[in-house]
Amino acid sequence: MLPAVIYGGVVVPELPEVETTRQGLAPHLAGATVIGIVIRQPRLRWPIPDNLPERINGLPVLSLTRRAKYLLMEFDTGTLLLHLGMSGSLRILQNDTPPEKHDHFDLLLDNGKLMRLRDPRRFGAILWQEGNITTHPLLAKLGPEPLEANFNADYFYQSSRGRNVPVKQFIMDNQVVVGVGNIYASEALFSAGIAPQIKAGNLSLARCTKLVEVIRATLREAINAGGSTLRDFVNASGNPGYFQQEHRVYGRAGEPCRLCSHPVKQLKQGQRSSFYCEHCQK
Ligand SMILES: [Zn+2]
């Protein structure tokens, strides 16, 4: 297995990692009540609200869902919104586990456990919203979830008409579809045989259909691969437990294409590197 995206030794959580985190945490949170909060470092991407303990102490956790790369912990009166940023990870631990460096936040539960955020780079977020979370400014303008039915070929075809932006940037636009990060964009375009520079508006309905299919398959495959690491969510030490996947083109500039053996090319698009095979992607 090869490393996934790593910046300064840190694996950046993308949608599959966030969904795997959700699946790992949810069973420990279901039915549990919050009995305390520890904020060791409030300065994340935005400050952790200092009235958070008054808001959620004593409340049962109703559910843990996900929207794009946000985890949404629902309570009777509102929602705790969590984002893992560049380097964040969440773990379930026994509530007497001593904190280590970068362990900024604990949510203590009445089942003897705690949920702990570790985030060395502090680009993550923990925010609170009363009432309806879907109107939160971070969520209100998001496009469809890639794995839900409203992300489909017709939607993709219609929304790409008249768009001159390269398809790679189009599929990474959160207002078009959420959660297609840089790695998965390169990988999906390779699987679809579509060159990353093609203008979104020039894709035929058949190519839109194929692309929607492979985006969904690529993300599903990554989430399924994450299932084997779920035990890491109850492990106190070590790495965040994000799975590391072998990529087909991402990060492989100059190496032979896995289909045709021509060297994989690299290209800058909107400050991000795209990886593709000139021979297999048109
Ligand atoms: Zn190739």
Side-chain angles (χ1 to χ4, degrees):
M1 297 285 255
L2 300 172
V5 190
I6 295 183
Y7 292 108
V10 174
V11 180
V12 175
E14 297 260 11
L15 185 139
E17 286 81 359
V18 178
E19 176 58 22
T20 304
T21 298
R22 189 194 69 76
Q23 292 176 9
L25 298 179
H28 303 279
L29 298 171
T33 293
V34 177
I35 57 166
I37 284 177
V38 180
I39 302 173
R40 294 186 197 84
Q41 168 57 276
R43 293 192 306 277
L44 303 182
R45 181 162 182 191
W46 300 284
I48 300 176
D50 52 16
N51 63 1
L52 193 56
E54 300 147 44
R55 295 275 181 260
I56 61 177
N57 261 343
L59 295 182
V61 180
L62 300 182
S63 64
L64 183 70
T65 59
R66 179 188 56 73
R67 178 72 173 109
K69 284 166 55 171
Y70 297 98
L71 288 170
L72 307 175
M73 194 183 294
E74 198 199 342
F75 296 90
D76 268 330
T77 51
T79 304
L80 192 66
L81 180 152
L82 302 109
H83 195 278
L84 299 174
M86 299 269 293
S87 61
S89 60
L90 288 164
R91 253 191 211 87
I92 298 288
L93 302 165
Q94 293 306 315
N95 63 10
D96 58 355
T97 310
E100 292 179 29
K101 203 179 172 190
H102 309 306
D103 287 344
H104 305 312
F105 176 90
D106 290 347
L107 190 75
L108 289 101
L109 302 165
D110 67 345
N111 57 11
K113 294 172 182 166
L114 60 79
M115 184 189 79
R116 177 166 285 170
L117 173 75
R118 178 175 296 181
D119 188 359
R121 297 201 163 194
R122 292 198 273 122
F123 281 106
I126 295 180
L127 299 169
W128 172 255
Q129 163 128 328
E130 303 275 321
N132 184 3
I133 189 67
T134 59
T135 60
H136 193 284
L138 290 169
L139 306 184
K141 289 183 179 168
L142 294 176
E145 285 289 324
L147 298 176
E148 288 183 8
N150 56 350
F151 180 64
N152 56 52
D154 281 340
Y155 162 81
F156 191 90
Y157 181 73
Q158 293 305 336
S159 55
S160 59
R161 293 311 87 187
R163 297 293 304 270
N164 285 325
V165 64
V167 60
K168 165 91 177 330
Q169 278 147 286
F170 187 72
I171 61 177
M172 288 181 67
D173 178 348
N174 265 338
Q175 295 190 24
V176 172
V177 57
V178 300
V180 183
N182 201 36
I183 311 174
Y184 296 107
S186 281
E187 294 291 296
L189 287 168
F190 177 73
S191 297
I194 297 171
Q197 316 89 313
I198 299 280
K199 287 177 180 173
N202 288 349
L203 291 174
S204 65
L205 178 58
R207 300 194 95 193
C208 289
T209 306
K210 178 70 180 167
L211 185 52
V212 165
E213 234 168 64
V214 299
I215 287 173
R216 293 165 73 103
T218 304
L219 292 171
R220 256 204 210 100
E221 195 182 304
I223 291 167
N224 292 341
S228 60
T229 68
L230 288 181
R231 60 190 154 74
D232 290 338
F233 290 94
V234 289
N235 186 340
S237 59
N239 293 317
Y242 299 140
F243 43 96
Q244 301 186 331
Q245 286 214 301
E246 195 163 319
H247 301 307
R248 280 164 280 202
V249 280
Y250 185 86
R252 301 190 58 243
E255 292 174 43
C257 170
R258 299 199 198 278
L259 290 182
C260 73
S261 297
H262 284 72
V264 170
K265 298 267 184 187
Q266 183 172 1
L267 168 76
K268 278 266 187 243
Q269 293 184 293
Q271 312 302 317
R272 307 298 297 275
S273 285
S274 300
F275 299 88
Y276 67 106
C277 173
E278 266 180 339
H279 189 252
C280 296
Q281 295 173 255
K282 302 290 179 190

